[in-house]
Amino acid sequence: MKTTILFSITLLFLTVSTVFSQTARIKGVVLDESFQPVENVSVSFEDKGTITDNSGFYSFVVPANKKITIVFSHITLKPVTLKVELKNNEDYEYNFVMKNNESQLGEVVVTAGNRKRVEGITTLEPAVIRKIPGANAGVENILKTLPGIVSNNELSTQYGVRGGNYDENLVYVNEIEVYRPFLIRSGQQEGLSFTNTDMVQSVDFSAGGFQSKFGDRMSSVLDITYRMPKKFGATLEASLLGGSLTVDAVSKNNKWTSITGVRYRDNSLFVNSQETETNFRPTFSDVQSYVTFTPNKRWQWSFLGNISQNKYNYQPLSRQTNFGTIDEPIALQVFYQGQEKDSYTTYFGALKSTFDVSDTFTLKFISSLYHTVEQEYFDIFAAYFLGEIDTNIGSETFGDVTFNRGIGTQLNHARNDLDVLIFNAEVKGFHKFDEATLEWGTKFTREDIRDRLVEWEVIESLGYNINPENIIPVNDQPYNPYTGPLVPFQNIRATNFTTIDRLSGFVQWSKKSLWGSHEIWYNAGVRMHHWQISGQEIETNSGTVFSPRAQFAIKPNWDKDMVFRFATGLYHQPPFYRELRDFNGEVQSNVKAQQSFHFVVGNDYSFKMWDRPFKLTSEAYYKDLTNVNTYTLDNVRIRYKATNDATAYAYGLDLRLNGEFVPGTESWFSFGYLRTEENQNNRGFIARPTDQRLKFGILFQDYVPNIPSLKLYLNLIYNTGLPGGAPSYADVYDYQQRLRNYARADVGFSYVLTENNHLKPEGHWLKKFQDVALGFEIFNLFNNQNAITNTWVRDVESKNQYGIPNYMTTRVFNIKLNARL
C-alpha cells in the first residue's frame, strides 16, 4: 500500500512539474561511425540526465530561456557537448555521430551494433530490404539469401531455419509476437507479409542459440522494430504487382507520432506464368498503423494495429507437364472443372507501455489480440492423361501426346472453416547495473480455436474407383468382382472447439568483463512454459517445461578484430494448435513439447579490403531433437502426425562474407551446408522434409560509374533439392527421392531521379522529394524450372507411380515507381 501511494505521489509530482515549469525538450538519435544506433549513451545536464535506448533514441527535458551545456558521454566513445538556449515548450532535435575513443578502441561489446555482434545476431538494413527485388519482396525475401535458410517457394514468405519447419520461427514487431494465417496450403495464397518494410527501423535475425528473453520456438527469432517518425513524410510505391502508401505524422508538440501504411497486391503476373492455365486473380490488401504517445520523458505508450484480407479465387482450366528422359519422354495432361474460393481475414491490435521507473530500471506492459477468420471452399474435378510424346522432329505432331498409357480422374472437395482468437498479456522488466543487466518477464496467453474440417478426395482409374490402402476386401477388378463399399480415397471430417491457456516467463543475466587483457561477455537465463489444453470432447491435458540457455563471447586482444562466440541451451516448443491436429483432423491433447538442444560456435572477423570494410561471419551448429512431432510438407501446408514418435538431429556450417564490394553499397555472398534426419519409431534415420544440404546466396548492389543514378540490385539463390515427399497414404520410408535443385535470380534496375537534387535550382519539382526512382525488374532471370512438390500419378500399364513436379513461376517482368517526401 505504501509503495502504491509513493508511486502515485511521484507520478503526480512529475506531471505537475512538467505542466507548470518553464521547460523545453531535446530529443534525437545517436549513431556510431558505422551508423548503428548506440545504446546507453549518458545524456546529462547538471544533476539531471537520461540514457539512450536500444534504438539510440533519447528524449530529455531541460530548463527554458537559459543557456545550458548538455554532455553526451559513453564508456567507449568520445564525449560530445551541446550548448543551447531554448524557448519555453520548444522541441529541439539533435542527431549526431559519436566517434571512437582512440584509447579504448578494443572495447567493442557495449555499442548496440557490437552488442548484436557478440550475440550472434544478423542485422539487416531497411534500405537494402526495400531495394532488393523478389517475387515476394520484403524482410523474408532478404532472409532467404542467408545461409541456413530453407525455402524453395518464391511466392511464400515462409522459411525454415537450420532444419526446422515454418512453424518453428518466432517473429516480433516492437517486442510483440505476430502470427500468420493457419489454413494456407499454397504459397500463392499467402499474399502480403505482416511486416510493412516502409515502416521498419531495424531488423535483427538470430538463426539459433538465442537468449531466454525470446519465446518458445526451436529454430529462429526475427526481431523487427518500427520507427518513430521525426517529421511529416510519405512514401509511395506503384508497380504491376500492386502498390503501397505510407504516411508519417507528428504532432506540433512532438508527443504524438504515427505511421500508417496501406498495401495492395495482385499476384496475377506470377500465377499466369505457371503451367496450369487458370481464370485466377488473387488479391491481397492490408492497413497497418503504429501510433506512439510520449507524455513525458519517462513514459511512452504505443499502439500497433493491422487488418489484412487475402482473397484467393481459383478456377483451373488445364495443365501439361513434360517429364521423363530424352529416350522416353512422358507428358501429364490435366483438364479441370470446378473452382476454389478461399478467404483469410486477420485482425491484430497491440498496446504497449514503457515506463522508466529510474535511470536503471524500466518496466514494459504489453497486451495484444489476434483474430483470424479463414475458409477454404473448393470442388475441383481433374481428368488426367499420362501419355507418350512424339519425338520425331520431322513429324507434324512433334511434341504432342500420341499415346495415352494412363487415364484417371480425381475429385477434391473441402468446406473448411477456422476461427481463432489469441489474447496475450505480458510484463517485462529491465535492470541496468554498472557492467551487467538483469531482464525478466512473465506472459499469459489464451488461444480459443473453433475449427471445422470437411475434406474428401475420390480417385478413379480406367473407370474403377480406387479405395484407400489396406481396405478389405481388396479391389482387384476387372479380374474379380468387387463386393465391398465404395468409399472416398481420403475422407477427413472433424469439428474441434479447443482452448489453450499458457503461462510463461523468463529471467536472464548479462555481464561484460575482462579476462586478462581480453574482453568477455556472457549471458545466462532460463525460461518456463506451462500450458493446458481443453475443449469440447477433448481430454484435458497440461505440461510444463524449463529451458536453460547460455551464451559466451570473447574478443581477444589481438591486432585482428575478431569475436568468438559459443551458445547452448534447451529450446522447447509446446504444441500450437496445428501441431495438435493429426492427419485425420482430430486434436490429440497429449502431444508433448518438442525439444531441441543447441550447440553453436561462431566467429566474426572484421577487416579491411581495398580500403573498405568487410566482415566474414562463420557458425557451426548441432541440434539434438527429441519428442519430435513428425510431419509432411506439401507446398507450405504442414500436416503433423501428433504422436511425438521420433528423434532427429541437424548439423551444418554457415558462412557469409559481406562488405563494400562496390564503394558505398553493401553486398554479401553466403554459403550453407545442412544435414537433418529423423528416426521414426526406431526404424532408422531418413531425410527430414527440410534436409537441404547445400545453399548459395548472393545479394549484390552496383551502379554505373559514369551514371551513378543508374543502379543494379541482384538477388540470387541456389539450393540443392529438398526431399520430394510422399503420397499422403504412403510410407515415407519408401519415398526418399528428391526434387530438382532450386536456382533463381531476380534482378532490378533503378534510375534515381533525385540523385543530384542538391544541384537542381530552387523551385524544381523534384526538390520536394527525398527520393524518386523508376525501376525495372526481371524475376527468374534465367527462366529456371523450379519444383515445389510432386503430383503422384499411377500408370496402369506399368503399375508404376510417377512423381510429377509441380513447377513454380517462370520469367516475369515488372516496372515500378518509388517516391518519398
Side-chain angles (χ1 to χ4, degrees):
M1 183 67 179
K2 291 181 179 179
T3 304
T4 304
I5 295 173
L6 180 61
F7 177 80
S8 302
I9 293 173
T10 304
L11 181 60
L12 179 62
F13 174 77
L14 290 173
T15 304
V16 172
S17 299
T18 303
V19 172
F20 291 100
S21 60
Q22 298 290 303
T23 61
R25 188 169 67 147
I26 295 177
K27 66 177 183 177
V29 175
V30 183
L31 304 176
D32 62 19
E33 289 180 292
S34 300
F35 296 99
Q36 296 293 321
V38 184
E39 187 180 12
N40 295 329
V41 174
S42 173
V43 186
S44 62
F45 164 69
E46 296 181 350
D47 60 343
K48 302 176 181 178
T50 186
I51 59 174
T52 58
D53 62 16
N54 57 8
S55 64
F57 179 79
Y58 71 94
S59 179
F60 187 39
V61 177
V62 298
N65 303 315
K66 178 182 178 181
K67 291 183 179 180
I68 60 173
T69 300
I70 299 175
V71 179
F72 301 85
S73 60
H74 193 273
I75 190 171
T76 66
L77 302 173
K78 290 184 177 180
V80 174
T81 59
L82 171 66
K83 295 182 179 180
V84 67
E85 181 178 357
L86 303 178
K87 299 178 182 179
N88 186 34
N89 293 325
E90 181 180 356
D91 278 288
Y92 184 83
E93 184 173 340
Y94 183 57
N95 305 315
F96 62 97
V97 174
M98 296 187 78
K99 297 184 178 181
N100 283 326
N101 188 334
E102 298 297 330
S103 63
Q104 300 181 35
L105 277 176
E107 186 76 49
V108 299
V109 180
V110 180
T111 67
N114 291 322
R115 175 180 58 81
K116 296 170 184 177
R117 185 182 181 192
V118 300
E119 293 175 7
I121 292 175
T122 300
T123 299
L124 304 175
E125 293 297 328
V128 175
I129 294 171
R130 287 189 284 267
K131 293 174 182 176
I132 300 302
N136 228 323
V139 175
E140 296 85 358
N141 178 51
I142 301 299
L143 287 181
K144 292 175 183 180
T145 66
L146 300 179
I149 307 298
V150 177
S151 178
N152 64 341
N153 189 340
E154 61 268 15
L155 294 181
S156 172
T157 60
Q158 302 193 55
Y159 54 91
V161 179
R162 294 179 175 175
N165 67 33
Y166 307 141
D167 290 339
E168 296 179 15
N169 306 305
L170 286 162
V171 180
Y172 293 98
V173 174
N174 290 9
E175 300 182 88
I176 302 160
E177 186 174 357
V178 298
Y179 305 88
R180 64 173 70 245
F182 287 63
L183 293 183
I184 283 176
R185 65 176 69 199
S186 169
Q188 62 190 23
Q189 298 173 355
E190 282 191 46
L192 297 163
S193 163
F194 179 92
T195 308
N196 187 329
T197 54
D198 289 328
M199 300 171 66
V200 169
Q201 173 182 293
S202 64
V203 177
D204 296 331
F205 178 72
S206 175
F210 44 87
Q211 296 177 4
S212 299
K213 67 180 179 180
F214 296 111
D216 297 288
R217 289 286 189 272
M218 293 195 299
S219 291
S220 73
V221 174
L222 178 61
D223 191 12
I224 298 167
T225 302
Y226 278 1
R227 57 187 173 84
M228 291 177 57
K230 305 297 186 292
K231 60 180 181 179
F232 174 81
T235 303
L236 172 70
E237 179 179 305
S239 76
L240 299 179
L241 293 169
S244 66
L245 174 65
T246 305
V247 177
D248 298 1
V250 181
S251 66
K252 290 184 178 180
N253 61 6
N254 287 315
K255 292 186 177 182
W256 289 89
T257 71
S258 72
I259 313 176
T260 301
V262 180
R263 296 181 294 174
Y264 173 81
R265 184 175 176 88
D266 184 338
N267 264 354
S268 298
L269 270 180
F270 290 113
V271 297
N272 289 336
S273 75
Q274 295 179 302
E275 287 181 331
T276 303
E277 295 184 14
T278 64
N279 291 325
F280 181 30
R281 188 171 183 179
T283 59
F284 318 101
S285 59
D286 82 338
V287 179
Q288 196 164 152
S289 187
Y290 176 55
V291 181
T292 67
F293 172 56
T294 309
N296 54 60
K297 68 176 184 178
R298 291 196 178 274
W299 211 318
Q300 183 184 89
W301 295 81
S302 64
F303 171 77
L304 176 64
N306 178 73
I307 301 174
S308 67
Q309 184 175 67
N310 295 2
K311 288 186 176 180
Y312 180 80
N313 297 325
Y314 178 62
Q315 186 178 3
L317 300 176
S318 64
R319 162 189 172 181
Q320 178 168 330
T321 303
N322 297 331
F323 65 104
T325 63
I326 296 177
D327 295 332
E328 189 181 0
I330 304 174
L332 172 70
Q333 292 179 305
V334 187
F335 300 93
Y336 298 96
Q337 291 182 342
Q339 62 180 332
E340 177 174 355
K341 288 189 175 182
D342 301 336
S343 175
Y344 312 92
T345 304
T346 62
Y347 308 87
F348 179 81
L351 186 65
K352 176 181 175 182
S353 178
T354 302
F355 179 63
D356 293 327
V357 181
S358 67
D359 292 342
T360 60
F361 177 31
T362 300
L363 277 174
K364 296 179 181 179
F365 307 90
I366 303 171
S367 63
S368 67
L369 190 66
Y370 173 81
H371 186 206
T372 180
V373 180
E374 306 175 24
Q375 71 170 36
E376 289 183 319
Y377 290 178
F378 57 79
D379 288 283
I380 296 179
F381 176 80
Y384 73 84
F385 301 86
L386 193 65
E388 298 177 358
I389 299 175
D390 184 357
T391 58
N392 186 353
I393 297 178
S395 172
E396 294 182 357
T397 59
F398 173 72
D400 295 338
V401 176
T402 57
F403 174 75
N404 286 319
R405 59 164 59 173
I407 301 173
T409 60
Q410 178 175 314
L411 175 61
N412 290 89
H413 167 92
R415 293 295 185 271
N416 301 331
D417 292 281
L418 181 73
D419 190 321
V420 177
L421 187 67
I422 302 176
F423 170 75
N424 291 287
E426 184 176 11
V427 180
K428 299 170 74 174
F430 178 89
H431 302 264
K432 174 70 176 176
F433 304 97
D434 289 339
E435 299 292 337
T437 59
L438 174 67
E439 296 176 71
W440 55 268
T442 183
K443 179 180 180 181
F444 171 76
T445 302
R446 163 158 284 204
E447 301 162 9
D448 190 358
I449 302 104
R450 298 173 179 271
D451 182 21
R452 185 193 72 165
L453 188 64
V454 179
E455 196 170 315
W456 50 260
E457 177 183 35
V458 175
I459 301 177
E460 67 89 20
S461 181
L462 293 176
Y464 298 100
N465 183 73
I466 298 178
N467 283 344
E469 299 289 318
N470 303 320
I471 289 292
I472 299 175
V474 175
N475 186 352
D476 61 349
Q477 295 183 80
Y479 307 106
N480 293 296
Y482 177 69
T483 58
L486 295 179
V487 297
F489 191 77
Q490 291 188 81
N491 188 14
I492 302 173
R493 297 175 183 268
T495 300
N496 303 313
F497 293 167
T498 310
T499 301
I500 308 174
D501 290 322
R502 304 180 188 271
L503 181 64
S504 61
F506 76 92
V507 61
Q508 69 175 39
W509 172 267
S510 303
K511 185 176 175 62
K512 73 176 185 66
S513 183
L514 291 175
W515 184 12
S517 61
H518 310 302
E519 297 168 12
I520 61 173
W521 177 93
Y522 52 88
N523 171 280
V526 63
R527 286 194 64 83
M528 181 278 296
H529 191 121
H530 173 79
W531 70 97
Q532 179 174 292
I533 303 167
S534 59
Q536 186 176 351
E537 298 182 2
I538 296 174
E539 180 183 357
T540 300
N541 269 296
S542 63
T544 304
V545 292
F546 292 89
S547 306
R549 304 172 188 176
Q551 295 179 317
F552 175 81
I554 180 170
K555 184 183 187 303
N557 187 19
W558 297 345
D559 291 336
K560 293 184 177 180
D561 184 3
M562 284 192 175
V563 173
F564 295 90
R565 297 186 303 271
F566 173 72
T568 187
L570 275 174
Y571 293 81
H572 286 101
Q573 182 155 321
F576 205 49
Y577 175 70
R578 191 152 65 170
E579 297 164 69
L580 297 171
R581 202 174 72 175
D582 64 15
F583 281 5
N584 295 318
E586 298 178 357
V587 171
Q588 305 297 329
S589 63
N590 61 344
V591 171
K592 301 176 183 177
Q594 300 183 81
Q595 177 178 289
S596 177
F597 211 142
H598 288 203
F599 298 91
V600 183
V601 178
N603 171 257
D604 273 14
Y605 174 34
S606 297
F607 59 95
K608 292 275 189 177
M609 187 166 60
W610 308 314
D611 291 325
R612 297 194 292 272
F614 285 83
K615 183 168 74 171
L616 175 64
T617 304
S618 56
E619 282 194 345
Y621 58 89
Y622 178 82
K623 298 181 184 180
D624 182 68
L625 293 90
T626 54
N627 291 333
V628 173
N629 193 350
T630 56
Y631 60 91
T632 61
L633 188 60
D634 182 8
N635 204 304
V636 298
R637 180 189 184 187
I638 300 176
R639 296 178 64 184
Y640 291 91
K641 287 181 67 177
T643 54
N644 296 111
D645 62 352
T647 59
Y649 67 83
Y651 65 82
L653 175 68
D654 290 349
L655 300 173
R656 185 170 76 111
L657 175 65
N658 68 297
E660 293 187 21
F661 291 92
V662 176
T665 66
E666 181 186 20
S667 302
W668 62 70
F669 294 81
S670 62
F671 165 78
Y673 173 77
L674 162 68
R675 186 185 182 102
T676 181
E677 293 184 326
E678 63 189 18
N679 182 357
Q680 300 182 21
N681 292 317
N682 294 318
R683 298 178 61 192
F685 282 95
I686 58 173
R688 304 191 80 197
T690 53
D691 184 34
Q692 183 176 259
R693 300 298 170 91
L694 295 180
K695 161 74 175 287
F696 297 91
I698 297 176
L699 185 148
F700 197 80
Q701 301 184 73
D702 199 357
Y703 56 85
V704 179
N706 296 329
I707 315 175
S709 297
L710 183 59
K711 305 180 186 298
L712 174 144
Y713 308 101
L714 174 67
N715 177 5
L716 187 149
I717 297 173
Y718 174 84
N719 304 330
T720 52
L722 292 170
S728 58
Y729 51 82
D731 185 350
V732 293
Y733 277 78
D734 296 332
Y735 289 81
Q736 286 297 296
Q737 64 267 45
R738 291 177 176 265
L739 299 169
R740 63 172 61 188
N741 295 344
Y742 181 91
R744 183 179 178 88
D746 299 324
V747 64
F749 303 91
S750 178
Y751 187 80
V752 182
L753 301 176
T754 52
E755 184 83 8
N756 297 312
N757 247 14
H758 61 284
L759 301 177
K760 295 181 174 64
E762 291 298 327
H764 194 284
W765 68 276
L766 284 174
K767 281 280 191 178
K768 300 176 182 179
F769 295 89
Q770 295 184 44
D771 184 42
V772 177
L774 294 173
F776 175 68
E777 297 174 324
I778 307 174
F779 303 114
N780 197 359
L781 177 65
F782 302 113
N783 203 29
N784 290 324
Q785 281 193 309
N786 295 309
I788 178 64
T789 53
N790 283 322
T791 295
W792 298 94
V793 175
R794 301 175 180 229
D795 179 358
V796 176
E797 179 186 46
S798 64
K799 309 298 184 184
N800 291 328
Q801 273 201 130
Y802 292 96
I804 300 169
N806 296 313
Y807 293 119
M808 296 299 294
T809 59
T810 58
R811 185 186 294 120
V812 172
F813 301 93
N814 183 40
I815 57 174
K816 70 176 184 178
L817 167 69
N818 294 89
R820 182 161 57 94
L821 290 172

